[in-house]
Amino acid sequence: MAPRKNLRYTHSRMLIFGAAITAATLTAPPAGFLRVFARPLPRPFLRRAWTRDLVPLLAALVALLFLPASAQASRLKLPAGVVVQVKEGMRLLFNGDPEATIAIAKKVQAELPEHPIGYLLEVNALWWKIYCESLSLKYNLIDAWDRKKLTVDIAYFNLAGRAIRLAEAANKTQESAEMHVYAGFAYGLEARLHGLRGENLSVARTGVKGRDHFVRALQLDPDMGDAYTGIGLYNYFADALSTFAKVLRFFMGIPGGSKKEGVAQLEKAMATAELSAPEARFYLARNLRNFDQKYERAAQLLEPLAAQFPQNPLFPLLLGDMNAKLNRREKAAAAFRAAQAIHSRDAACAARIAEITRAALAAIR
């Protein structure tokens, strides 16, 4: 493995955030709930079969009231049909089908052309295509480390920029935590590609702008789950920078962060974010592997994603890499073969997966 400082230097320019879209959290029971249900039932209701019928009914009501917000009703201020489309688009994306997500995103854009959600959904799908196509083995780690500038990047930045403009314009009319989250993630998606292209100053500029939106979102709504994905990644990365980069950050006036706080925020996002919980889990696992060499914890975080989204080769690929670091050769080989067996509909992504898994399997024999 190359010295850790080399890895830190490469990632010092990648001050970037999570990905996806809006938020929801656990809700507290309605006021007076316990008082109402603690009252004794009228006597007629306690007779004969009434008791048998009423107890399971009350149990069902209690269960419904304590369900997470994401399971009860969406916090997204969108038409119900659009919420369903966006959620399905995100499910397809995590399950390894970004093209299907892009098709849904374009439908949402046609239905809501002045809303940022459709453009965010599309640019997020484009990011995952870029991430897979850019995978390589460096520093003894499988990840997307760098990529040259391409003309197709113009469309990517145009989509992110449009989402930013629409969200910020909406906030000027009526400020909301939701629109700040949209803007924050759009800046984060810009920062991701800037980082992959080695554009350090652009990463810092867009990163700080995104952070400001996440901070404001949480000021307006402390329960905005997806805001914790963005601010958690910022705080983690800001603290993971090399000493030299931290000095530069200080003189440039870039806000600092805390790994411990970032991990806690990402864990909160995993439990409460309506749409970006899988990305919070993925990036927390990736960061713990890359920066802290916590391979065991990283593998534990990634395993549920591989099980939940069996058509996404990225999850078993990185899980195999983590198991290889733990010298679990059989488990690593099984994960690499699982990634090989998944048919990716993106030809460029499929080619990268095939090449990397061949090299990874050869390395652990």
Side-chain angles (χ1 to χ4, degrees):
M1 176 182 284
R4 186 174 174 184
K5 63 180 181 181
N6 291 341
L7 176 58
R8 286 188 161 203
Y9 172 76
T10 300
H11 274 274
S12 69
R13 65 187 186 221
M14 298 184 71
L15 198 61
I16 55 179
F17 309 99
I21 317 168
T22 47
T25 66
L26 293 172
T27 52
F33 167 79
L34 294 176
R35 293 194 301 274
V36 170
F37 281 91
R39 293 171 185 165
L41 292 169
R43 288 185 180 179
F45 285 92
L46 298 176
R47 295 173 184 168
R48 303 183 189 89
W50 282 99
T51 302
R52 293 194 303 272
D53 294 336
L54 191 60
V55 170
L57 176 60
L58 289 177
L61 287 171
V62 171
L64 284 171
L65 286 166
F66 280 98
L67 281 174
S70 57
Q72 292 184 53
S74 174
R75 289 171 64 93
L76 304 178
K77 295 177 177 63
L78 294 165
V82 174
V83 172
V84 172
Q85 290 182 75
V86 171
K87 288 187 175 182
E88 177 61 8
M90 293 301 295
R91 186 193 69 80
L92 290 166
L93 179 57
F94 295 134
N95 207 31
D97 195 352
E99 291 299 336
T101 301
I102 290 171
I104 290 175
K106 291 186 180 299
K107 290 180 182 178
V108 173
Q109 292 166 19
E111 189 168 345
L112 297 174
E114 298 305 311
H115 195 286
I117 193 74
Y119 308 102
L120 270 177
L121 187 60
E122 183 175 359
V123 73
N124 196 34
L126 291 177
W127 165 253
W128 283 102
K129 285 170 62 70
I130 291 169
Y131 180 85
C132 185
E133 294 164 8
S134 304
L135 288 170
S136 63
L137 181 59
K138 268 188 179 183
Y139 314 107
N140 198 31
L141 293 169
I142 297 171
D143 211 334
W145 297 105
D146 48 50
R147 172 182 169 278
K148 63 183 180 180
K149 300 176 185 179
L150 300 175
T151 55
V152 295
D153 295 349
I154 297 172
Y156 180 101
F157 286 120
N158 284 343
L159 282 166
R162 186 163 189 180
I164 291 167
R165 289 191 298 274
L166 289 172
E168 292 183 338
N171 271 333
K172 289 178 181 177
T173 302
Q174 183 176 357
E175 188 181 24
S176 71
E178 183 181 356
M179 286 297 167
H180 279 293
V181 167
Y182 293 146
F185 277 122
Y187 276 119
L189 286 162
E190 285 191 342
R192 288 182 179 184
L193 188 51
H194 284 309
L196 208 57
R197 297 178 358 156
E199 297 164 340
N200 303 357
L201 292 177
S202 294
V203 172
R205 176 180 55 81
T206 53
V208 171
K209 286 183 177 180
R211 174 194 176 276
D212 290 345
H213 278 290
F214 291 125
V215 168
R216 182 57 181 156
L218 290 170
Q219 288 173 347
L220 293 171
D221 183 357
D223 293 329
M224 183 61 76
D226 279 304
Y228 286 101
T229 302
I231 196 63
L233 281 167
Y234 181 96
N235 282 329
Y236 188 100
F237 275 120
D239 196 20
L241 298 177
S242 67
T243 303
F244 176 71
K246 287 181 179 179
V247 172
L248 287 180
R249 186 201 70 205
F250 174 80
F251 284 107
M252 292 173 66
I254 297 173
S258 161
K259 272 191 192 179
K260 183 178 180 180
E261 187 177 0
V263 169
Q265 289 165 334
L266 288 168
E267 288 174 342
K268 184 177 179 70
M270 285 162 47
T272 63
E274 186 171 351
L275 294 174
S276 69
E279 291 203 40
R281 178 178 289 272
F282 174 83
Y283 276 103
L284 179 55
R286 174 181 174 272
N287 294 345
L288 290 175
R289 180 200 66 166
N290 288 8
F291 292 104
D292 294 321
Q293 294 78 52
K294 293 184 178 180
Y295 304 126
E296 182 69 49
R297 175 62 176 148
Q300 290 171 355
L301 286 165
L302 206 56
E303 282 172 351
L305 292 179
Q308 186 179 358
F309 303 108
Q311 297 305 310
N312 192 332
L314 290 174
F315 300 143
L317 178 68
L318 269 67
L319 187 58
D321 187 52
M322 293 169 189
N323 279 309
K325 302 295 180 293
L326 292 165
N327 203 31
R328 298 171 180 166
R329 293 173 179 267
E330 290 184 6
K331 289 189 72 172
F336 288 137
R337 291 192 185 99
Q340 274 185 332
I342 296 172
H343 174 68
S344 175
R345 294 173 182 169
D346 185 315
C349 178
R352 297 302 303 147
I353 296 290
E355 181 180 345
I356 290 172
T357 50
R358 282 195 300 268
L361 284 167
I364 61 174
R365 281 177 190 149

